[in-house]
Amino acid sequence: MDARRERLRVAGAEPIGLYTLLRLERGDLDPGAPGQFFMLEAPGRLLPRALSLCLAPTGELAFLIDPIGPGTEALCELEPGDEIHVFGPLGLGFRLDVERPLLVGGGIGMAPLPFLAEALRFPPAVLGFRTPEHAEAAALLPGAELAIDPTFVTELILPGQDVLACGPEPMLHAVAERCPGAQLAWEAPMACGYGGCYGCAVEIDGELKRLCVEGPVLVSRAA
Amino acid sequence: MLLNASGCLDALIAPDVARQLDGFVTKTITPLPREGNAPPRIAETAYGMLNAIGLANPGRERFLADTLPQLRELALPLWISVGGFCAADYAETCARLHDVEAIELNFSCPNVDEAADSAAEIVAACRAATPLPLYAKLSAAHPDVAEVARAVATAGADGLSLINTLRGLALDPRTLKPTLARGTGGLSGPSLKPVALAAVHACHAATDLPIVGMGGITTAQDVVEFLVCGAQHVALGTVLFADPDAPKRIRDALGVVQPDDRRLSARLLEFRANAVA
């Protein structure tokens, strides 16, 4: 494990549409590869929250957070100067050896794509959102094509592209069906992020495996 | 001695965490492989968490052939957690284990439907199958855990691990349906500590067996409380999920590098005499 756990200072927490971009001073933590994730201490909660890195500005680590429960709400309420423990980078990220990359994001699943876009020199991207308010987060990925409900982001995928996707499960299943070999970043509740709790088991090739160790990025099987 | 609670750490993936401990306790091994329960398998609660992993493990044969040799390379004292659905399941696994520090018999996983035979019967069967130290891991759900402790002591147990998780239920606040796919799960974390302390205290009074105390330990102060109530050793569980550096942090705070520090022992005996009526 190259992961480290450190107490990091909050540099800023800015709303982007309905989400919050939490920026932390990086300390000695390595940003890792796009698609890898970190466990962020959620103030007042027992368990940390798993979040993929959204951006790695100089000296910082930035996370895009959807306040959907008490842990993510507490993270969105952090203020500059606050400190939280952060552990990472963890898991396996996206493979970058792709010829014709297309980034596909759905909702808060767009979180790892800005960092991924940098690593791939800003390839084409398509993003899907439930509402125009959610879609304001697309500002983090300039040039991305948008689909807003009832249009599905999968309708914007053309054949022959190397898809790298992150989003809600139904979207990932739809992408997997259309694009065998696509790299998909999945999500599951996880307590530890480093293989100890067995909470994040998902079915991979017919077996339940730990998403934090074998993923979160998995290659969809050929149809 | 500082251990991990079974099922809370994978030493092969996080050897640096395991090396902060005085020994590594494996996830429970059953005779046949188990995939475990469908996700979601974990849920955070106030001051605790529920899990319904379902004893996911590669099964005895793959554990002995693949996992155990890799664990031996870590050069840590190994405690093997053994589970099953009848006394013969436990005894057969015990008979196949050699050259490990101890065997912990998991009687109390609340995520498995089949009820185990009585704890004493299982301990007796395992006692006949192995000379290795046998620790019985008991649940505090029994109305009189001290009675179970006496029974396993008579049957030949060498020690007690106290306690396992307690069955609990969490509902999703929006749907009001169970958060876990399986419905109920095992409660762990700080909310379990008072229950664990009471069980340790009761079993310490009831038997002479050494006790590994666990249940919500988060700080050095928690460790001292378990020792005061009668535990000789302690294990860390849920805290490892939030803080992989917890063993080192707690050990540093205790100021105890040697696990069997005589001064501490003397102080604790005094604590026990005074603090526990």
Side-chain angles (χ1 to χ4, degrees):
Chain A
M1 258 196 330
D2 297 325
R4 298 168 59 92
R5 184 171 183 269
E6 279 189 20
R7 199 168 166 83
L8 302 185
R9 185 186 298 268
V10 175
E14 293 98 21
I16 300 196
L18 299 178
Y19 307 133
T20 293
L21 188 72
L22 176 67
R23 293 184 294 108
L24 304 171
E25 290 176 13
R26 189 183 290 187
D28 286 327
L29 295 194
D30 188 311
Q36 285 193 291
F37 66 95
F38 292 77
M39 299 300 287
L40 274 65
E41 174 188 0
R45 307 302 300 177
L46 181 70
L47 299 174
R49 298 301 190 264
L51 295 166
S52 57
L53 189 67
C54 180
L55 282 165
T58 308
E60 291 184 358
L61 302 173
F63 300 90
L64 189 65
I65 306 176
D66 187 7
I68 52 161
T72 43
E73 281 164 11
L75 284 166
C76 290
E77 285 164 10
L78 286 169
E79 293 183 355
D82 288 346
E83 293 187 354
I84 56 167
H85 281 105
V86 179
F87 178 41
L90 297 161
L92 302 176
F94 290 100
R95 267 190 10 247
L96 303 179
D97 55 340
V98 286
E99 283 178 13
R100 292 204 291 166
L102 173 71
L103 312 190
V104 178
I108 189 61
M110 75 158 287
L113 301 186
F115 186 38
L116 177 61
E118 267 184 29
L120 290 173
R121 300 176 183 225
F122 304 99
V126 295
L127 298 175
F129 293 97
R130 266 178 295 163
T131 68
E133 291 75 30
H134 287 95
E136 287 179 38
L140 292 170
L141 201 57
E145 203 175 338
L146 293 188
I148 296 179
D149 193 59
T151 306
F152 286 146
V153 70
T154 40
E155 295 168 29
L156 304 177
I157 301 174
L158 300 174
Q161 291 170 304
D162 298 313
V163 169
L164 304 96
C166 184
E169 272 194 29
M171 183 200 102
L172 294 181
H173 285 299
V175 171
E177 207 161 286
R178 282 164 192 240
C179 317
Q183 298 185 55
L184 309 176
W186 298 83
E187 188 179 39
M190 65 182 65
C192 72
Y194 68 102
C197 75
Y198 285 73
C200 61
V202 293
E203 194 176 316
I204 302 172
D205 298 341
E207 273 183 65
L208 285 176
K209 293 184 180 172
R210 288 166 288 181
L211 197 62
C212 69
V213 177
E214 313 267 348
V217 178
L218 305 172
V219 176
S220 73
R221 298 179 77 190
Chain B
M1 190 164 62
L2 193 58
L3 303 169
N4 63 292
S6 172
C8 296
L9 178 66
D10 184 339
L12 295 180
I13 289 186
D16 293 346
V17 180
R19 288 198 186 96
Q20 298 173 40
L21 301 162
D22 299 307
F24 171 69
V25 186
T26 67
K27 199 161 166 54
T28 296
I29 306 304
T30 53
L32 296 175
R34 291 177 59 88
E35 283 269 294
N37 295 323
R41 298 169 155 195
I42 56 167
E44 192 184 46
T45 61
Y47 313 109
M49 67 175 281
L50 294 179
N51 85 79
I53 306 301
L55 296 183
N57 80 97
R60 178 168 63 213
E61 299 309 321
R62 228 172 98 190
F63 173 79
L64 291 170
D66 299 341
T67 315
L68 186 55
Q70 293 180 60
L71 286 172
R72 289 194 194 284
E73 286 176 20
L74 298 174
L76 269 171
L78 296 176
W79 290 52
I80 314 299
S81 173
V82 171
F85 303 102
C86 63
D89 282 355
Y90 287 84
E92 280 169 35
T93 304
C94 288
R96 301 279 302 279
L97 291 169
H98 307 284
D99 198 22
V100 297
E101 189 77 5
I103 295 172
E104 185 177 82
L105 303 172
N106 179 6
F107 297 137
S108 50
C109 179
N111 298 321
V112 177
D113 286 321
E114 295 94 324
D117 295 350
S118 80
E121 183 195 336
I122 294 170
V123 169
C126 295
R127 183 70 294 157
T130 180
L132 288 166
L134 289 174
Y135 274 68
K137 185 166 183 181
L138 305 181
S139 162
H142 193 280
D144 186 356
V145 66
E147 182 193 325
V148 184
R150 275 190 293 267
V152 298
T154 306
D158 299 292
L160 302 171
S161 295
L162 298 168
I163 58 176
N164 208 320
T165 58
L166 289 177
R167 190 181 300 272
L169 176 67
L171 301 183
D172 181 293
R174 278 170 295 186
T175 63
L176 295 178
K177 290 180 179 169
T179 311
L180 301 178
R182 196 172 185 279
T184 59
L187 177 69
S188 66
S191 47
L192 202 60
K193 194 183 89 173
V195 181
L197 287 176
V200 167
H201 178 218
C203 292
H204 177 64
T207 76
D208 293 329
L209 296 181
I211 293 171
V212 183
M214 68 195 86
I217 295 176
T218 307
T219 64
Q221 173 67 28
D222 295 332
V223 172
V224 170
E225 290 178 22
F226 272 84
L227 299 180
V228 165
C229 287
Q232 273 73 21
H233 313 293
V234 291
L236 306 181
T238 303
V239 68
L240 292 174
F241 298 156
D243 181 5
D245 301 323
K248 184 180 180 306
R249 170 174 60 79
I250 288 173
R251 208 191 283 283
D252 289 350
L254 277 171
V256 180
V257 178
Q258 295 303 318
D260 55 356
D261 184 305
R262 280 169 191 275
R263 261 179 329 125
L264 179 75
S265 304
R267 210 158 71 220
L268 289 171
L269 284 175
E270 186 189 337
F271 273 143
R272 272 178 210 161
N274 293 334
V276 181

